[in-house]
Amino acid sequence: MNGRILPQCGVERFLILLDGPWATLIVRELLRGPQRFTELRGALTGISAHTLTHRLRRFEQHGLVKRTAYAEIPPRVVYELTPLGASLQDVLSAMNDWGTTVPEAALTAS
Amino acid sequence: MNGRILPQCGVERFLILLDGPWATLIVRELLRGPQRFTELRGALTGISAHTLTHRLRRFEQHGLVKRTAYAEIPPRVVYELTPLGASLQDVLSAMNDWGTTVPEAALTAS
């Protein structure tokens, strides 16, 4: 992505980093606090280990998530939001507020 | 989608209706005011006519967008947000606020 022309629009910048449902739902879970891989996977019904691994690695690269490995037996790995990741709280709160106002008829229409 | 079990979580409900970049960017454009199909497509670099048509139709079904056809010559069709659609303003503002705080290094990391 180096040398790539970055959009000026903040919404487009947001979408570069949170580009779909799984990315948003992983942040929702981590906003509850640090978690292990298995805890995250358990909370996200339907996500594959591959997708979760890939997403977490991308979040680490983009500075949204910190991965800490504890030299214990057995080894323990914990994922948590960085301050930049945690500042997504306002966005998810706005999503949640709006989502809870949507009438069921709108959600089930098709 | 009828008979489908709806999630209780507002974030998940939001993601049912805005499930990706194009959906969010279409709302961003319509938050500027009513627009014709060609105006929308012109503002969304890279979107295909098929995708835009499909997305707008879905938004209509879900009650986020209103389509008005004016019996003029040539005929004129305008798309605009309903009150429910317009209430997404807070979510997109939060996305924009956050997106503008993200350091370029985070966006270009890969």
Side-chain angles (χ1 to χ4, degrees), chain B residues 40-53:
Chain B
L40 269 174
R41 194 162 175 221
L44 296 166
T45 311
I47 197 168
S48 70
H50 173 75
T51 298
L52 182 54
T53 303

Side-chain angles (χ1 to χ4, degrees), chain A residues 1-2 4 6 8-21 24-25 28 61-62 64 84 87-88 90-92 94-96 98-104 106-110, chain B residues 1-2 4 6 8-21 24-25 28 61-62 64 84 87-88 90-92 94-96 98-104 106-110:
Chain A
M1 286 176 80
N2 292 335
R4 166 182 174 170
L6 289 174
Q8 288 311 305
C9 170
V11 172
E12 287 184 53
R13 289 184 169 215
F14 168 85
L15 291 170
I16 288 174
L17 299 180
L18 276 91
D19 58 341
T24 305
L25 293 175
R28 180 195 63 180
Q61 289 167 344
H62 288 295
L64 299 184
L84 180 62
S87 66
L88 281 161
D90 291 346
V91 182
L92 271 77
M95 287 178 181
N96 190 64
W98 185 81
T100 48
T101 65
V102 176
E104 303 233 340
L107 288 164
T108 52
S110 68
Chain B
M1 286 172 80
N2 291 334
R4 163 182 176 168
L6 289 174
Q8 288 311 305
C9 169
V11 172
E12 287 184 52
R13 290 185 166 210
F14 168 85
L15 291 169
I16 288 174
L17 298 180
L18 276 92
D19 58 341
T24 306
L25 293 174
R28 181 194 65 180
Q61 290 167 343
H62 289 295
L64 299 183
L84 179 62
S87 65
L88 280 161
D90 292 345
V91 181
L92 271 77
M95 286 178 181
N96 190 64
W98 185 81
T100 47
T101 65
V102 176
E104 304 235 338
L107 288 164
T108 53
S110 68

Side-chain angles (χ1 to χ4, degrees), chain A residues 30-100:
Chain A
L30 288 174
L31 280 168
R32 303 184 207 276
Q35 297 189 40
R36 296 192 209 187
F37 188 90
T38 46
E39 291 169 319
L40 270 174
R41 193 159 176 223
L44 297 166
T45 311
I47 198 168
S48 70
H50 173 75
T51 299
L52 182 54
T53 302
H54 170 70
R55 286 289 175 172
L56 288 170
R57 193 168 296 144
R58 258 193 89 210
F59 276 163
E60 272 186 84
Q61 289 167 344
H62 288 295
L64 299 184
V65 162
K66 188 177 85 170
R67 178 182 184 274
T68 308
Y70 294 90
E72 297 169 359
I73 299 172
R76 185 162 61 97
V77 174
V78 171
Y79 295 90
E80 61 192 295
L81 293 172
T82 62
L84 180 62
S87 66
L88 281 161
Q89 175 68 68
D90 291 346
V91 182
L92 271 77
S93 296
M95 287 178 181
N96 190 64
D97 293 347
W98 185 81
T100 48

